[in-house]
Amino acid sequence: MDRLLVVRCPDLLDEDEGGAVLRSFAEVIAAVEAYCPWVTAVRAGVCSLPARGPARYFGGEGALADLVQEAAEQVTPAEVGVADGLFAAVLAARRGLIVPAGGTPAFLAPLPVAALGQDDLTGLLDRLGIRTLGGFAALPDPHVLGRFGADGAHAHRVAGGRSGELADLRQPRVARLLVGDPAEEGPAVTEPGFWGGMSDADARAARCLSAAQELLGTDGVVTVRLQGGRSPAERARFVTWAAGGPMRGAVPGAARSRAGGSGAPWPGRIPEPAPAVVHPEPVRADLADALGEPVRVSARGLLATVPDRLSVEGGPWEPLSGWAGPWPSDERWWSRSRRRGARLQVVTDRAAHLLLVERGRWWVEATYG
Amino acid sequence: MFVTAPDRRLARDLDPATLAALSALSERTRPVAASRTRLLPVVPELAGMLPDGALRRGSTLTIGRPGDDGALSLALSLVAAASASGSWCALVGHPALGAVAAADLGVDLGRLALLPRPGAAWAEATAAVLEGVDLVVLCPPFAPRQAMARRLVARARERKAVLIVVPGRAGWPEPPDLQLRVDGATWEGVDAGDGHLRRRRMTVTATGRRSAARPTHHRLWLPGPDGTVATAGDADDPAA
C-alpha cells in the first residue's frame, strides 16, 4: 500500500459559494508542491502526496512533514500526517502523527467505527457491541461479506488496514477543478448489462476478475482510460474495475490518441512515442553537469548547464549518451506561484527516461521501458 | 451442412476442375477453422518470431533481458492484435504501466485488466485471471518457487490461455515453450540537446523447444516513430 502524506486544512473543508475556500486551498497545494510535484487534491481542504520519494530528499518522513506543514501554514492552519493508504493517512493527519510503515492496522484498531463515516454500518456494529475499527477488523471475512454485503466487506478491509481507501473519500470534482483538468468526466457509456449484450468472453473475464478482486480487494483490479493532458501521467486515468460497469468506449475516441496531427491541443506535450513505464510515485533523480554540479533550469525554462550524468534514487552515476528538451511544464494556471518546471528526455546505457525538474529538484517521471 | 445421397452421387459426376477447386477450398478452410481455436493473432511484424506465426493457446513465453529495457514493450505488442480482435488481457504485477504507450501499440484498453500490486498473493491472483482471460502478462514481484511456476504453466495450458512472463530480477524457474530475449536496445533521435526520442532498435532472439530449438534473430523498431512496432532492416534504414 502506498505511503501517503496528507495535509488537512480544518478551515477549508467546506466550500463556500464565492469559491474563496477553493482558492485558498489552491494556494496550499501550490505551497506543498514546492516539495513534491505529485500533489493530489483529495477533496476540499485535503490533499495528499506520496511520501516515499520526497522523504528521501528531505531526510525522512518526519522532516518532510515538518517542511510541508510549515509551507501550508503560510496560507492557513494545517494538520499533517503520514500512514499507509489514504484512509489512515487522513486520520493520522488529524492527530498530527507519522504512523510507521506497517503500523497502520495497530494505529486504526482503537479508533471508533464512526471514523469510517458510514452511519448504517456504525449502527449495525454498535448493536453487535462492536465499537472500534479493530473489533470490526477482527470479524472473519466470510461473516462480514454475508452480513454486510460488498460495501461492508470493503469497509472491513479498510478497517483492518488491508485496503487503502473508501470509495467516497475523494471528491473528483474538486480534484479536476484544482488541477485545471478540462477533460470532462463524460457520460459513462454503460454496457448493455451483465447478461445481455456481453459476449461469452466478456462474461468469463468478468467472473475471473471478480474472483481476483475477492483475493486482492476491490481496488486490486483496475482498468485505465485515456484523457487529455500534457504528460504521460496526466493522460491516463486508472479506475477500479467493475463487472458490467462502464468499460469499453467510456471515453469516446480515446483508444488511440495521438500527439501529432494538426490540432495537438496540449502545448508542451512530449513528442511520441510514449513511455511504456509511468512511475506512479515520484522517483528521485540527480542530474549533474560534467563538473558534477547539479543541472539547474532558468526561470524561462532553459537549462543553465549541459547534463552529463544521471543518478536514480541515489544510485551510481550513469553517463548520458544523449538528451533532449527541455519542454516547459507550466501547469497549474490557477496557482499564484506558477510552477516553473521542465521535462527532459535522457538516455543512458541502460534505459531512456523522462525527467521532470521543479524548483531545482529532478524526478524520474517515466521510463521508456 | 449435411450432404444428401443424391448430392453425393452428383459430386462424383462433377468435372475434374470443379472437384479440384472444391478440394482445394476444403484444404484451405479446414486448417484455418481449426487454428482459430488454437491460435491467437499477433501483428504481422512479430509473426516471424513465433513458431506458429501466432500465439499458441495454452503456451508460456518468457521475455528476458539483462536490464529492463524493452521487455514490457515487447510483451504489450505481442498481446495487441489479440486484444484488438476481442480477447481479454491482464497485466499482473506491474505497478507502472504507461497506458498511452500500450494504446499506441494497439492494446484495447477496454479489455485490459490491471492487477498492479498483487503482493504476496500474486500467484493466486494470476491463477484466478488465467481462468477467464486469454492473455496474461505476468511480472512476478517475488522470485517464484518452481512448484508455483509449474502450477501456473499447467493452469495456462489447461485453460488454453497464453501466459507471457516478464521475469525481471525475480526470475522464472520453469522452461517456457518459447523464450524471447531483447538485446541491443538502442534509442535514436536524441543528441546533445537536439531532437527527441524517436524510435528504439532492438534485436529479439527467439528460442523454442524441439523443432524450434535453434535460436532465430529478429530486428525490430519497438516502438517505431508512431508508437507501434515495425520491422527493422539494415543499419542504414532510409526511413531514419
Side-chain angles (χ1 to χ4, degrees):
Chain A
M1 215 179 301
D2 293 346
R3 232 41 217 133
L4 288 179
L5 181 148
V6 161
V7 182
R8 184 175 178 275
C9 310
D11 297 346
L12 304 181
L13 297 174
D14 298 307
E15 286 180 60
D16 59 337
E17 274 182 27
V21 162
L22 283 189
R23 276 195 296 278
S24 301
F25 185 44
E27 284 180 42
V28 172
I29 293 178
V32 173
E33 279 180 333
Y35 298 99
C36 168
W38 270 258
V39 180
T40 307
V42 175
R43 57 189 308 140
V46 179
C47 63
S48 72
L49 58 97
R52 224 171 260 138
R56 287 211 179 90
Y57 260 126
F58 297 106
E61 292 174 344
L64 175 68
D66 289 347
L67 287 167
V68 165
Q69 183 157 22
E70 200 175 305
E73 292 205 320
Q74 313 239 321
V75 183
T76 181
E79 305 159 341
V80 175
V82 181
D84 302 329
L86 185 61
F87 174 72
V90 171
L91 294 174
R94 294 180 72 160
R95 291 159 183 78
L97 284 177
I98 292 175
V99 179
T104 292
F107 162 65
L108 293 176
L111 301 180
V113 169
L116 290 167
Q118 300 183 6
D119 294 343
D120 291 355
L121 186 66
T122 308
L124 277 171
L125 288 170
D126 191 63
R127 263 172 272 151
L128 293 171
I130 293 167
R131 302 205 165 78
T132 63
L133 294 178
F136 181 32
L139 295 178
D141 283 347
H143 181 84
V144 171
L145 187 63
R147 186 148 187 159
F148 303 101
D151 288 349
H154 183 61
H156 180 239
R157 296 178 61 86
V158 172
R162 289 184 291 161
S163 193
E165 58 183 276
L166 294 165
D168 54 357
L169 215 52
R170 293 177 189 270
Q171 292 173 327
R173 186 184 54 80
V174 170
R176 275 200 307 281
L177 223 55
L178 290 185
V179 296
D181 177 3
E184 285 299 316
E185 186 83 332
V189 180
T190 314
E191 290 289 294
F194 196 91
W195 304 113
M198 206 184 222
S199 73
D200 274 3
D202 289 350
R204 272 195 312 136
R207 272 196 298 276
C208 82
L209 294 175
S210 297
Q213 277 181 322
E214 271 170 40
L215 208 58
L216 303 174
T218 320
D219 45 6
V221 181
V222 297
T223 177
V224 60
R225 298 173 201 168
L226 299 186
Q227 59 187 17
R230 208 174 270 114
S231 72
E234 287 170 351
R235 290 181 61 195
R237 188 161 85 234
F238 293 89
V239 288
T240 300
W241 181 83
M247 288 186 291
R248 266 168 295 136
V251 182
R256 288 175 74 85
S257 64
R258 297 218 166 273
S262 48
W266 298 93
R269 183 185 267 188
I270 310 302
E272 303 193 289
V277 175
V278 177
H279 302 286
E281 291 185 16
V283 176
R284 179 196 163 162
D286 293 282
L287 191 70
D289 62 19
L291 300 173
E293 293 295 317
V295 174
R296 304 206 174 279
V297 178
S298 75
R300 292 174 54 209
L302 301 172
L303 295 185
T305 48
V306 177
D308 180 71
R309 60 192 82 155
L310 173 76
S311 156
V312 178
E313 295 218 280
W317 288 102
E318 299 172 54
L320 301 188
S321 58
W323 59 277
W327 290 269
S329 70
D330 220 7
E331 289 145 35
R332 312 296 198 265
W333 48 270
W334 42 264
S335 166
R336 227 175 13 188
S337 56
R338 277 167 79 107
R339 297 198 301 169
R340 294 282 182 184
R343 295 194 166 86
L344 204 66
Q345 290 179 330
V346 298
V347 182
T348 70
D349 278 351
R350 297 198 315 159
H353 300 289
L354 183 64
L355 303 185
L356 175 68
V357 61
E358 276 191 19
R359 307 194 200 224
R361 279 183 284 275
W362 291 90
W363 308 90
V364 182
E365 188 176 34
T367 300
Y368 292 81
Chain B
M1 199 174 78
F2 51 89
V3 178
T4 58
D7 281 347
R8 208 179 294 149
R9 258 197 317 264
L10 201 67
R12 202 178 46 201
D13 300 336
L14 284 174
D15 68 282
T18 313
L19 275 177
L22 275 174
S23 75
L25 185 69
S26 72
E27 276 309 302
R28 238 177 358 156
T29 47
R30 192 158 29 92
V32 172
S35 71
R36 194 164 294 158
T37 57
R38 205 168 55 85
L39 298 175
L40 291 169
V42 295
V43 293
E45 291 83 357
L46 301 180
M49 67 179 67
L50 306 173
D52 300 296
L55 294 167
R56 190 155 39 77
R57 284 180 173 274
S59 68
T60 300
L61 289 72
T62 58
I63 304 179
R65 106 156 231 120
D68 310 317
D69 203 8
L72 180 65
S73 296
L74 182 56
L76 293 172
S77 58
L78 277 168
V79 303
S83 148
S85 60
S87 281
W88 274 82
C89 304
L91 175 61
V92 182
H94 198 291
L97 172 71
V100 179
D104 284 348
L105 284 169
V107 177
D108 179 354
L109 297 183
R111 287 202 182 77
L112 175 68
L114 307 172
L115 286 64
R117 297 171 192 275
W122 68 269
E124 279 173 278
T126 306
V129 293
L130 281 169
E131 287 287 327
V133 165
D134 281 340
L135 304 119
V136 177
V137 177
L138 167 66
C139 309
F142 305 109
R145 284 179 292 112
Q146 182 145 28
M148 202 177 251
R150 195 169 288 162
R151 265 206 304 280
L152 292 177
V153 168
R155 177 69 64 98
R157 193 179 306 129
E158 180 188 308
R159 305 306 307 177
K160 305 209 170 5
V162 173
L163 177 63
I164 300 177
V165 185
V166 182
R169 272 169 282 276
W172 185 254
E174 191 65 3
D177 296 300
L178 185 70
Q179 189 184 347
L180 302 177
R181 204 183 68 231
V182 178
D183 281 309
T186 322
W187 278 96
E188 285 189 0
V190 301
D191 202 349
D194 289 330
H196 63 84
L197 293 173
R198 278 175 45 78
R199 55 183 191 173
R200 174 175 49 194
R201 176 192 283 280
M202 60 167 70
T203 302
V204 178
T205 303
T207 314
R209 297 221 247 190
R210 291 179 289 274
S211 62
R214 202 163 61 87
T216 58
H217 305 282
H218 310 269
R219 301 222 268 180
L220 297 176
W221 298 112
L222 179 55
D226 63 351
T228 64
V229 58
T231 1
D234 291 323
D236 30 41
D237 185 323

